[in-house]
Amino acid sequence: MSKNSEKDQLKDRLEQLRCHFTWKLLIEDVEIDDLENRVFKEIEFLDTKFNVPIHNLLAYVKHLKGQNKEALQSLNQAEDLFQTEHAGQSEVRRLVTWGNYAWLYYHTGRLEEAQIYLDKVESTCKKFASPSCYSVESPDMDCEEGWALLKCGRMNYERAKACFEKALEVEPENPEFNTGYAIAVSRLDGFSKASEMGEAFCLHTLKRAIELNPEDAYIKALLALKLQDIGQEAEGEKYIEEALRSTSSQTYVFRFAGKFYRRKGSVDKALRFLKMALRATPSSAFLYHQVGLCYKAQMIQIKRANNWKPKGRDKENIHRLVQMAICEFEKALKLKPTYYEVYPNLAEMYAELGHHKEAEDIFQKVLSMGIFHDHLHQYIHFRYGQFQEFHRKSEVDAVIHYLKAINKEKLFTSNKSLSALEKLVLRKLRRNEADIESLSILGFVYKLKGEMGEALECYERALRLAAGSGNSEGRVP
């Protein structure tokens, strides 16, 4: 048999494995460094009973960066951890590490060693009477795949949730499966701004995970933020305080506490927690973004206290805070160029300084980045609409982008956009009650809000005006 033929047959067998090399993890090239940073932080600061998966993921990330020697070291750590800390767990979970070994040896041309690990996998599959020589249907394997997907970013969350769901069908009381499922549901809920039913389900999954993992401070902090999202801030603060009393995953709890207290309006307290977390993890894009948002909040507090017309020292303080916010947002984007949510905040700060060209360039950059997530697409158009309305003073462009921020099926940022659009067209109609386009848009807004009587009235007025003027400019959306 020729060398190439032998290698092809080996690859066919490798494709049947269940491991990071076959799970089709969606990771953009520009996100690899950020993913590696997050993995390192989790290894050092996240207290968890489930350590092997993160070392397997680090090995895969190292391979993607062309660092195969370091990748092998990470797999060795995963294997050592399994033997010392997880010896009581199902041997099925070792198949992931062995599969990664086999693929890594294949990619480095060490085919005999790749075959050794394939043989190990095959032997274990036979032990579990698997119909496949190189994979096993097991909730533990579904869990391993779920963790890998969950760590690799938002494009993988739906598949991660499905993996944990599948595992829970077999073992509904498993603490690890419930933890993974709760985190996946929480992240998806955060992106989709789900209905009340969806929010209730998300709360249920988090509370269920806490029941089964009562010492898990990370999950308690997540639950606190979710309760704050739905207006139950006082209850959420109880969970944050409980998490802060624990020494478990302290750096992550500080991150979440910082976000919680910023949103509560306790900005100084938020900054204290965020800076404590930054001392431990100075390469966190999330933390720089949160600190920047705190400076922005302090700037708004000064403006509000001065009836939006600051003078003298207050004006100087606002300028200083805006510059500080810009610095933090730029640090976040340097670390993670695909942190899409940061771009509108950075643009807004430049607009505050009157640097409209820089703000416009930032919006154009993020709009050209090919964002495939509905909620982000809507959010950025909404923020761009605000920029056009309040800084550029362009009502026409503001209307265009508020409309682009509205998705009739998925109302993520849509409610804010609908409200902004309604206020804008009502203002235009006060200036000119015969504005056919504004009447048509107002009818569209009322229709989406379910106010059909008001919508019909606007459409009829628009049609009468259009017929009377003899033109067809008042096109009904």
Side-chain angles (χ1 to χ4, degrees), residues 131-184:
S132 168
C133 294
Y134 300 106
S135 66
V136 172
E137 280 298 319
S138 158
D140 288 301
M141 291 295 282
D142 295 323
C143 177
E144 289 277 340
E145 184 175 355
W147 282 125
L149 290 160
L150 196 55
K151 305 296 183 189
C152 289
R154 62 187 101 208
M155 290 189 293
N156 302 280
Y157 290 163
E158 283 286 359
R159 287 172 58 211
K161 175 174 170 271
C163 285
F164 288 117
E165 273 178 338
K166 188 178 174 187
L168 284 167
E169 286 172 7
V170 182
E171 294 184 34
E173 303 297 314
N174 185 294
E176 181 182 1
F177 301 171
N178 276 278
T179 295
Y181 185 59
I183 294 171

Side-chain angles (χ1 to χ4, degrees), residues 354-367:
H355 298 170
H356 291 162
K357 185 182 182 304
E358 287 90 339
E360 179 69 38
D361 289 345
I362 291 163
F363 273 115
Q364 290 305 321
K365 179 178 180 178
V366 70
L367 285 166

Side-chain angles (χ1 to χ4, degrees), residues 37 39 73 136 162-163 166 199 238 272 277 313 339 349 432 469:
N37 268 333
V39 168
Q73 289 170 355
V136 172
C163 285
K166 188 178 174 187
E199 286 171 342
K238 291 176 188 175
R272 190 164 70 250
R313 182 162 292 181
Y339 204 160
M349 292 300 96
N432 176 15
S469 64

Side-chain angles (χ1 to χ4, degrees), residues 52 76-88 94 98:
V52 174
N76 292 339
Q77 286 176 297
E79 187 73 337
D80 290 344
L81 271 171
F82 188 91
Q83 292 179 25
T84 56
E85 297 182 15
H86 306 287
R94 296 182 79 179
W98 293 344

Side-chain angles (χ1 to χ4, degrees), residues 46-241:
L46 186 63
D47 298 319
T48 174
K49 301 170 188 173
F50 325 120
N51 291 308
V52 174
I54 201 71
H55 286 280
N56 265 304
L57 178 58
L58 180 58
Y60 183 64
V61 171
K62 290 290 187 186
H63 164 72
L64 292 179
K65 296 183 73 175
Q67 298 170 0
N68 289 321
K69 183 179 177 182
E70 292 85 348
L72 276 173
Q73 289 170 355
S74 293
L75 290 180
N76 292 339
Q77 286 176 297
E79 187 73 337
D80 290 344
L81 271 171
F82 188 91
Q83 292 179 25
T84 56
E85 297 182 15
H86 306 287
Q89 290 192 6
S90 168
E91 194 178 15
V92 165
R93 300 188 82 145
R94 296 182 79 179
L95 298 182
V96 176
T97 308
W98 293 344
N100 287 335
Y101 268 123
W103 269 104
L104 204 50
Y105 283 130
Y106 170 80
H107 281 299
T108 53
R110 296 160 67 175
L111 304 188
E112 288 183 7
E113 285 154 295
Q115 185 60 56
I116 288 170
Y117 279 96
L118 269 173
D119 292 342
K120 281 175 170 279
V121 172
E122 185 176 14
S123 174
T124 303
C125 288
K126 283 179 181 174
K127 191 187 299 183
F128 285 93
S130 172
S132 168
C133 294
Y134 300 106
S135 66
V136 172
E137 280 298 319
S138 158
D140 288 301
M141 291 295 282
D142 295 323
C143 177
E144 289 277 340
E145 184 175 355
W147 282 125
L149 290 160
L150 196 55
K151 305 296 183 189
C152 289
R154 62 187 101 208
M155 290 189 293
N156 302 280
Y157 290 163
E158 283 286 359
R159 287 172 58 211
K161 175 174 170 271
C163 285
F164 288 117
E165 273 178 338
K166 188 178 174 187
L168 284 167
E169 286 172 7
V170 182
E171 294 184 34
E173 303 297 314
N174 185 294
E176 181 182 1
F177 301 171
N178 276 278
T179 295
Y181 185 59
I183 294 171
V185 169
S186 174
R187 290 185 185 173
L188 285 167
D189 181 67
F191 289 146
S192 66
K193 304 298 181 194
S195 64
E196 288 183 17
M197 187 180 295
E199 286 171 342
F201 180 69
C202 180
L203 286 177
H204 169 75
T205 62
L206 286 165
K207 287 179 178 179
R208 177 71 177 138
I210 290 170
E211 281 176 26
L212 296 167
N213 302 274
E215 304 305 314
D216 194 326
Y218 180 97
I219 293 290
K220 288 176 184 176
L222 271 188
L223 176 58
L225 288 170
K226 192 55 59 180
L227 287 164
Q228 188 182 46
D229 283 342
I230 63 170
Q232 297 180 27
E233 191 169 74
E235 187 182 353
E237 191 162 10
K238 291 176 188 175
Y239 281 101
I240 275 288
E241 289 170 349

Side-chain angles (χ1 to χ4, degrees), residues 224-293:
L225 288 170
K226 192 55 59 180
L227 287 164
Q228 188 182 46
D229 283 342
I230 63 170
Q232 297 180 27
E233 191 169 74
E235 187 182 353
E237 191 162 10
K238 291 176 188 175
Y239 281 101
I240 275 288
E241 289 170 349
E242 198 175 320
L244 285 166
R245 285 194 293 271
S246 169
T247 56
S248 168
S249 302
Q250 204 167 58
T251 298
Y252 283 89
V253 172
F254 290 158
R255 288 158 59 104
F256 294 141
K259 182 176 180 178
F260 183 93
Y261 286 112
R262 173 185 64 78
R263 299 197 307 188
K264 187 185 176 187
S266 304
V267 182
D268 290 339
K269 193 171 186 177
L271 279 168
R272 190 164 70 250
F273 285 122
L274 292 169
K275 288 179 178 179
M276 286 163 70
L278 264 174
R279 282 197 289 273
T281 56
S283 60
S284 169
F286 171 86
L287 288 172
Y288 288 118
H289 185 215
Q290 290 296 315
V291 171
L293 289 173

